[in-house]
Amino acid sequence: MSASFLPVRLGGSWLVLEARHVREVSKAIPWLAIGGAPRGFPGVLAWNGRAVAVCDLASVLEVDAPPLSPGELRARTVLLALDDDVVALPVDGAREAFSATDEGGRRTPVEGRPHVTELVEHEGVLMGKVDVETIVLDAHRRARGT
């Protein structure tokens, strides 16, 4: 089975996102902090005429990067479409998407790291595959108090 991934850098950590969700990789997009916002979602930004939630992966994952400060910009913004949600991920860098197959690339399941489901090897670098769908679903549950 083949899957396509977008490698992104956050601090000193390389991560991969499922390419099927990626709608755009942009330069830094300014965002507005919202007081009392849920952990991991510190604010919103404007994209294609709508307000989009900003997801701070550094505050949700165990990575070598500090959480976003209000209004802080990172070099790139990745916009993902997840069912009815569009989410913006400020990251320090992004590379070209690649395909990995079970035969051609090492993919190892991960346990004990919330929101990182497996390690994917590409060009000799192991990168954690981020489950952004679950991060968003968990935020919705917390907002509803369930």
Side-chain angles (χ1 to χ4, degrees):
M1 185 170 110
S2 179
S4 295
F5 300 105
L6 176 73
V8 297
R9 185 175 56 80
L10 200 52
S13 300
W14 280 97
L15 307 164
V16 291
L17 307 170
E18 289 186 67
R20 67 188 172 103
H21 296 301
V22 176
R23 292 297 163 258
E24 184 177 315
V25 178
S26 175
K27 62 182 181 175
I29 300 176
W31 60 279
L32 176 66
I34 296 179
R39 180 179 166 268
F41 292 85
V44 296
L45 58 78
W47 181 71
N48 286 348
R50 65 188 280 194
V52 172
V54 171
C55 178
D56 178 18
L57 291 178
S59 70
V60 177
L61 304 174
E62 298 171 10
V63 294
D64 179 24
L68 283 171
S69 298
E72 175 186 356
L73 297 180
R74 290 202 165 121
R76 297 276 180 258
T77 302
V78 179
L79 290 125
L80 304 177
L82 308 166
D83 294 326
D84 295 332
D85 295 305
V86 175
V87 178
L89 306 174
V91 297
D92 295 315
R95 289 187 174 170
E96 284 186 27
F98 67 93
S99 292
T101 62
D102 291 337
E103 302 81 29
R106 191 168 92 197
R107 295 175 64 186
T108 309
V110 172
E111 293 182 24
R113 277 190 74 191
H115 309 301
V116 175
T117 58
E118 65 183 311
L119 294 177
V120 178
E121 183 177 11
H122 180 63
E123 296 180 349
V125 177
L126 280 176
M127 299 174 265
K129 179 183 150 207
V130 180
D131 185 353
V132 180
E133 289 173 295
T134 301
I135 293 170
V136 171
L137 184 59
D138 288 350
H140 283 301
R141 286 184 186 135
R142 283 192 309 271
R144 290 191 308 264
T146 60

